Amino acid sequence: TPGLLVRSQTLYPAELTAHVSYRTTVLYYHSFRGNARGNFKFLGKIFEPFKTIGLTGEYNKGTITLIMNSCKENTMENTFKGSKKYVASPELMNAVNIAVALKKPLLIKGEPGTGKTMLAQAVSEAMGKKLIIWSVKSTTKAQDGLYVYDVVQRLYDSQFGASGVDDIAKYIKLGKLGEAFSDKEQVILLIDEIDKADLEFPNDLLWELDKMEFYIPETKETIAAQQRPIVIITSNAEKELPDAFLRRCVFHYIAFPDQEMMRDIVHAHYPDIEDHLLELAMRAFYQVRDLPTVAKKPSTSELLDWLQALRLGGVDPEKIEAELPYAGILLKKNEDLTAVKNAKNRVKNGFRW
């Protein structure tokens, strides 16, 4: 990030300070034990993933100055910046681009309906890469994403004299992770709602996500990634993920959009929406979200559906705040509908929401 000042502790008792600009990053590495010269190789390992960076340095009184001259293609100039249908915050764009540069999975959390799943689709569209989606269920096992050995089909074929029964590879079907590894082109792999599976599911994927390979004992074959996929993982925070798994990810929480960003999101989906309708609908929407008695707050996707219903129904914008038509699109619990109804009655009696 241009203009960023970074200070962090390394594994050694030292301080790393970085001044980042568009094309050049200067790092000052000060070793409190005077071992800066010996730690130069250690710093080289940190920046090893950035193959196109020219790294030079000089040693002076316990401090190493490292100058990273980045090639144009390594400045992330042409990477993810959102898409026509997906409005991303600068923080989210930075998280995506850093995860791609570091070749680490990107773990996305946020309220339901804030665009976690759509992010992978937007990255796929923006980068022109194929999207492979692994939708995780409560019964999903890590093995399902690698491969499945159809032993039942093989037994069936052997009983009825089908040819090729001895060829076990014929009965091996790659899962979504296996498909991503086998593709000759780099793909986007979305592991959607990882927290729906059991607690051991993330840990069972540590080796595969680290090494980008797995072994099939039935065929004695190792499936290694031909092109390292860009991995995006979403979670609704229904369960805590293991620390060992979290350490291997770049993390970002998608905060709920403020009104200015929400307008941009709506215009991306409905570019011809009437300004007066949008203004009054958004005011009512955020009033509903701000009610402390509403348990399940309406999300961005529900706002988009509600706006479409208001347009199709020809609703008078002046009646939106008082009547809240089609409230069942925004609110999905009877208790929340009652809470909003009570709030509307307060408005009729001269009180605010």
Side-chain angles (χ1 to χ4, degrees), residues 120-146:
Q121 298 170 352
V123 173
S124 172
E125 177 186 335
M127 295 185 174
K129 298 182 184 295
K130 176 183 174 183
L131 174 63
I132 296 177
I133 301 176
W134 183 8
S135 296
V136 177
K137 311 296 181 186
S138 59
T139 56
T140 302
K141 303 297 181 184
Q143 179 70 30
D144 300 336
L146 306 181

Side-chain angles (χ1 to χ4, degrees), residues 18-31:
H19 288 276
V20 184
S21 66
Y22 175 64
R23 298 294 299 275
T24 303
T25 300
V26 181
L27 298 104
Y28 304 97
Y29 182 86
H30 179 71
S31 174

